[in-house]
Amino acid sequence: MDVVVGLDSGTTATKAVTAGVDGRVRDLVSVGYPLSVPAPGRAELDARQVADAAVSALAAVSAAARERGDRVVGVSLSAAMHGLVPMDDDGRPLGPVVTWADDRAAGFAEALRADGRAGGLHSRTGTPVHPMSPLLKLAAMRADDPDRLASVPRWGGVKELVVAALRGGPQVLDRSCASATGLYGIRTGAWDPQALDVAGVRAGQLGEVLPTTTVLPGLRPEVAAAAGLPPDTPLVLGASDGVLANLGIGAVRPEVAAVSLGTSGAMRVVVPEPTTDPAHRLFCYALTDDHWVVGGAVNNGGSVVRWAAQALAEGDGVSGEDADALDARLLEEAAAVPAGSAGLLCLPYLLGERAPWWRSGLRGAYVGLRREHRRGHLVRAAVEGVCQQLALVHDAFSATGLPVREVRATGGSVASTLWVRTLAATLDLPVRVADSPEGTGLGACLLGLHALGALPDLDAATALVGVSDPVEPDPATADLYRRMRPLVEQSTRALADVLTTLDALDDTPSQTPA
């Protein structure tokens, strides 16, 4: 079979998959690298490790394809959003990748909200004003080290880094990754002058923005040789990981939403043109010229159960039990607890939170804790709390005129029946689980096949991607969760200042989401 490689450069690993026009993942390779958290608020990657991992993953998956007799006809790129890396004119990194999880620019986000500029920036660029965005990272650097900001020849992200590693040439990036920087006008199709002014950079320090379906001819000779591919193998510029996850799960038609639920989570829908939420709860990033992805990401997903295993099960006779098995055991305990966790509410902001609040410094809390609550109640409340955050994103869709009738879900957490049933009831929507967990890599393959002319219509991905029969919401549980959701909003607003003040008082290094 002729296959395309989907190369997905993420926060802790680069994954490479192959797929053909049948939409089935045939090979999978993962090359990991460590996320460095050298001090509170910092979250960085070694840029050279990320670049080298892309070459290594491409070589390994190409070899696997050859072994099964497949022919690689192209390589399509996916990249983590919001990274920032200084580069020279040839695309070589001059420092680490500052990832989306880096929180050092939190003060600048609050300042932009206070002076009234945040709303306009969000509306024009589609990116929430939050320390994750390169806009805020650059603004913080402008204040701390303006000379370095001005002297760096090029500022880029993970996509520019990988493109330079694979083919070199002038610095380019796709419209999808550009639309996630906070610097790009999603309606003007150009770098936003006011955002550039806030960041303190010139348009010439940023890459040329091209459509996501752009086909770049050829690989570096040494990269082609390492991968066993012809030097003229087409390289499809591709898109960002979040929007490709929608494509890879077949959620590209109206009224079909994608939910990613792994360590963190997100809910996204595809619309035909740039769309922003007047209340600034949702992002808007490009997939193609006529496919734009609107949604919200939450920092906390399956990580809440892993936290419970570490915090609540230590010394409980589970020594030697692997982490996944322990998580499963706690979820069994939680499933035995009635919906609503006996009046216990969890604000699951263990790793801070993004949508719908976009407020740095939020931390977790239990509300309504009583003596009769046990570990199962705490775990179930945490699962319900995560799903309620996704339901708040869904509420923002409804308020923005974006109806949803079906959810397609992917990620490690949806292997759990409790997670899927809770998600269905909280959203009050049927949920179908994707057959393949590699939604982002598959999405890169499908976009590559489309760019190369083998898949004429992206909407055809809905039929190509396998999903389970729908899990329907339980009506009584859905009604209970609907009545509890305003309490989540009220509790968050009431406690936000307390939680952020506590966060500011604590200088203990915190774990950063992967």
Side-chain angles (χ1 to χ4, degrees):
M1 178 181 286
D2 285 352
V3 297
V4 167
V5 173
L7 196 62
D8 176 28
S9 298
T11 307
T12 58
T14 292
K15 294 182 178 181
V17 304
T18 61
V21 292
D22 62 353
R24 184 170 65 87
V25 172
R26 296 170 69 81
D27 302 290
L28 167 65
V29 169
S30 180
V31 178
Y33 31 79
L35 178 66
S36 173
V37 186
R42 293 177 62 180
E44 301 170 347
L45 295 171
D46 184 313
R48 295 190 183 278
Q49 287 184 344
V50 175
D52 291 345
V55 177
S56 297
L58 175 60
V61 83
S62 298
R66 285 195 301 275
E67 287 179 9
R68 66 163 65 242
D70 291 341
R71 182 171 71 106
V72 173
V73 297
V75 179
S76 182
L77 302 180
S78 166
M81 295 179 283
H82 312 308
L84 181 69
V85 57
M87 306 171 78
D88 67 17
D89 284 322
D90 295 320
R92 288 184 292 264
L94 301 175
V97 179
V98 181
T99 72
W100 68 269
D102 195 281
D103 201 37
R104 283 174 283 179
F108 289 88
E110 295 303 321
L112 287 170
R113 289 192 185 93
D115 68 19
R117 288 182 289 173
L121 287 165
H122 188 166
S123 296
R124 292 193 308 277
T125 69
T127 303
V129 174
H130 184 272
M132 69 180 183
S133 78
L135 165 67
L136 273 296
K137 294 178 173 72
L138 289 165
M141 188 175 297
R142 180 184 191 179
D144 294 341
D145 195 350
D147 292 339
R148 180 169 184 260
L149 182 70
S151 66
V152 168
R154 298 279 186 172
W155 290 99
V158 173
K159 179 60 71 69
E160 295 95 310
L161 184 67
V162 172
V163 171
L166 295 180
R167 72 174 302 272
Q171 183 173 331
V172 297
L173 74 159
D174 60 83
R175 185 167 291 125
S176 178
C177 288
S179 65
T181 62
L183 298 162
Y184 185 77
I186 56 175
R187 294 177 181 85
T188 64
W191 297 114
D192 183 78
Q194 291 170 278
L196 294 177
D197 183 63
V198 170
V201 295
R202 307 177 303 276
Q205 289 176 282
L206 307 174
E208 179 185 5
V209 180
L210 300 174
T212 59
T213 52
T214 299
V215 179
L216 303 170
L219 303 170
R220 287 182 183 271
E222 62 272 24
V223 172
L229 297 174
D232 61 352
T233 298
L235 182 67
V236 178
L237 189 54
S240 66
D241 54 0
V243 304
L244 287 172
N246 267 64
L247 180 57
I249 202 173
V252 289
R253 289 181 176 170
E255 302 185 355
V256 179
V259 168
S260 301
L261 195 51
T263 302
S264 56
M267 187 172 184
R268 303 172 297 267
V269 294
V270 173
V271 296
E273 59 187 7
T275 301
T276 51
D277 166 25
H280 308 299
R281 293 164 292 185
L282 305 173
F283 56 66
C284 179
Y285 304 142
L287 174 54
T288 63
D289 289 346
D290 55 359
H291 292 79
W292 292 77
V293 175
V294 176
V298 300
N299 282 5
N300 305 273
S303 56
V304 298
V305 178
R306 185 59 48 90
W307 163 79
Q310 295 169 339
L312 305 176
E314 187 174 354
D316 191 38
V318 294
S319 175
E321 198 171 2
D322 68 41
D324 290 340
L326 182 53
D327 288 355
R329 178 173 156 186
L330 291 184
L331 287 169
E332 287 180 7
E333 291 183 20
V337 171
S341 304
L344 182 62
L345 193 72
C346 178
L347 307 182
Y349 313 138
L350 304 179
L351 296 167
E353 191 53 288
R354 285 179 286 171
W357 310 105
W358 303 107
R359 178 165 176 174
S360 183
L362 284 181
R363 290 295 178 259
Y366 280 100
V367 180
L369 193 64
R370 301 196 306 268
R371 185 175 63 178
E372 56 266 34
H373 287 132
R374 295 294 181 262
R375 185 169 67 188
H377 296 87
L378 296 174
V379 175
R380 176 153 195 146
V383 170
E384 292 172 340
V386 170
C387 293
Q388 289 283 22
Q389 296 302 308
L390 293 169
L392 289 173
V393 174
H394 177 233
D395 290 346
F397 290 161
S398 299
T400 311
L402 301 174
V404 176
R405 298 188 184 276
E406 177 189 322
V407 173
R408 293 187 168 203
T410 188
S413 295
V414 297
S416 159
T417 300
L418 176 64
W419 272 108
V420 176
R421 287 179 176 170
T422 304
L423 181 65
T426 310
L427 298 176
D428 198 11
L429 289 166
V431 174
R432 295 176 182 267
V433 176
D435 290 349
S436 172
E438 301 304 327
T440 300
L442 176 56
C445 291
L446 294 173
L447 184 62
L449 289 163
H450 174 61
L452 295 171
L455 186 66
D457 185 356
L458 284 188
D459 291 347
T462 302
L464 287 176
V465 177
V467 291
S468 70
D469 292 334
V471 175
E472 298 288 345
D474 175 71
T477 305
D479 180 66
L480 173 63
Y481 289 156
R482 188 182 303 110
R483 287 184 283 124
M484 292 181 70
R485 189 145 56 254
L487 303 178
V488 175
E489 295 184 277
Q490 292 171 28
S491 298
T492 300
R493 291 194 176 98
L495 292 174
D497 289 341
V498 173
L499 297 173
T500 54
T501 301
L502 286 173
D503 183 64
L505 292 173
D506 181 22
D507 60 1
T508 305
S510 61
Q511 296 182 3
T512 306

